[in-house]
Amino acid sequence: MSLLGIDLGTTGCKAAVYSADGRCQAQAYREHGAVHPRPGRVELDSREVWDKVRQVIREAVSRAGAPTDPITALCVSSFGEAFVPVSMDREILGPSILNTDARGAEYAEALARDIGQEAFYRINPNILGPQYSLPKLTWLRDHEPELFGQADHFLFWADFVPFLLGCEPTAANSLANRSLLFDLRRNDWSDRLLEWGGIERRKLGRIVSGGSVIGTVDDRLAAELGLPRGVQVVAGGHDQCLNAL
């Protein structure tokens, strides 16, 4: 058997096929640039990045060849904080706001006032700041209510790719932690923080631990990407955590 790894960064994406004993059989890379629609705003074109992801998968799989050593599982790592709004039928609804985007600073300040850093830290051990997902989501809720309401799910990038490959909406816990909505001790979304942000739990993926099998690649997409049928999708996570591992 062989394994497919996919990594999503803010400037590019790559895919690599490895044998079970750790030999790299093939890899592919594509760049994608950030978009600056207005001063202080930094986004990724979600549709462009998804297209590049499909390209690197196809190329890496094609280069690996070797039908005697078929790919049996894949996993995705990605940068943190940023999310993609999607519909239940797997339609991409808008761009992805990056952590360097200036939007949401006032909501991080409000969270610090309303809950306090110390009380917040007992739920989610991060230092409050505008770079995380919660300030961006609350900004979106108030300034783009149509998109916020239309989105069935907001998914982090390492969870967004499995969703578009055919899996249920999930959130790897290492990425959920970067949202400021995660209760670390309970390993689940925090009811208190969800209520503060006015965010329905159903709009976020089910919490899963990295390494969990979360589904299989859709047969139609498998054929499009050159993958065999039945490739298992394994939950990945935040790239910094996976780098440490």
Side-chain angles (χ1 to χ4, degrees):
M1 69 173 186
S2 57
L3 307 169
L4 174 65
I6 302 159
D7 180 62
L8 286 162
T10 54
T11 60
C13 59
K14 59 177 104 39
V17 179
Y18 284 86
S19 62
D21 60 3
R23 290 178 294 106
C24 183
Q25 298 173 330
Q27 55 187 320
Y29 175 76
R30 295 287 188 282
E31 290 190 351
H32 50 251
V35 179
H36 303 268
R38 289 170 57 180
R41 298 192 178 185
V42 191
E43 301 174 346
L44 286 180
D45 182 330
S46 307
R47 296 178 180 86
E48 178 197 2
V49 177
W50 170 236
D51 183 56
K52 297 287 178 66
V53 169
R54 297 201 307 274
Q55 289 178 33
V56 295
I57 293 174
R58 275 195 299 266
E59 183 176 333
V61 171
S62 175
R63 286 182 174 182
T68 57
D69 189 19
I71 292 168
T72 58
L74 66 81
C75 188
V76 186
S77 69
S78 77
F79 57 96
E81 295 89 46
F83 53 84
V84 185
V86 296
S87 69
M88 198 173 298
D89 58 3
R90 307 180 203 278
E91 179 186 359
I92 299 170
L93 300 178
S96 179
I97 303 174
L98 292 180
N99 60 2
T100 50
D101 190 289
R103 284 172 281 184
E106 66 275 28
Y107 295 96
E109 294 167 1
L111 184 58
R113 288 194 307 269
D114 294 347
I115 295 182
Q117 175 63 73
E118 186 175 345
F120 175 83
Y121 198 87
R122 286 195 291 269
I123 303 170
N124 181 257
N126 284 294
I127 303 300
L128 289 168
Q131 70 271 30
Y132 297 102
S133 316
L134 176 55
K136 312 301 186 193
L137 282 167
T138 47
W139 184 93
L140 201 66
R141 178 199 67 195
D142 292 345
H143 294 83
E144 295 190 26
E146 185 175 349
L147 174 58
F148 186 87
Q150 185 183 9
D152 292 308
H153 307 293
F154 296 102
L155 299 178
F156 307 110
W157 278 91
D159 306 304
F160 161 75
V161 170
F163 179 68
L164 290 196
L165 287 174
C167 297
E168 66 169 306
T170 58
N173 50 11
S174 58
L175 283 167
N177 180 56
R178 304 297 292 176
S179 69
L180 301 187
L181 287 163
F182 186 65
D183 186 325
L184 185 66
R185 290 171 179 80
R186 293 178 55 239
N187 193 39
D188 199 2
W189 301 114
S190 164
D191 292 328
R192 183 180 183 187
L193 297 175
L194 288 171
E195 182 180 1
W196 183 90
I199 300 165
E200 298 175 81
R201 179 183 288 263
R202 66 176 181 83
K203 284 186 176 284
L204 304 173
R206 176 177 65 86
I207 296 291
V208 294
S209 296
S212 306
V213 176
I214 55 175
T216 57
V217 178
D218 174 80
D219 287 348
R220 179 186 58 81
L221 273 171
E224 176 191 322
L225 299 172
L227 291 166
R229 293 182 63 178
V231 171
Q232 291 188 314
V233 181
V234 177
H238 188 214
D239 54 8
Q240 297 301 327
C241 299
L242 300 187
N243 286 342
L245 179 63

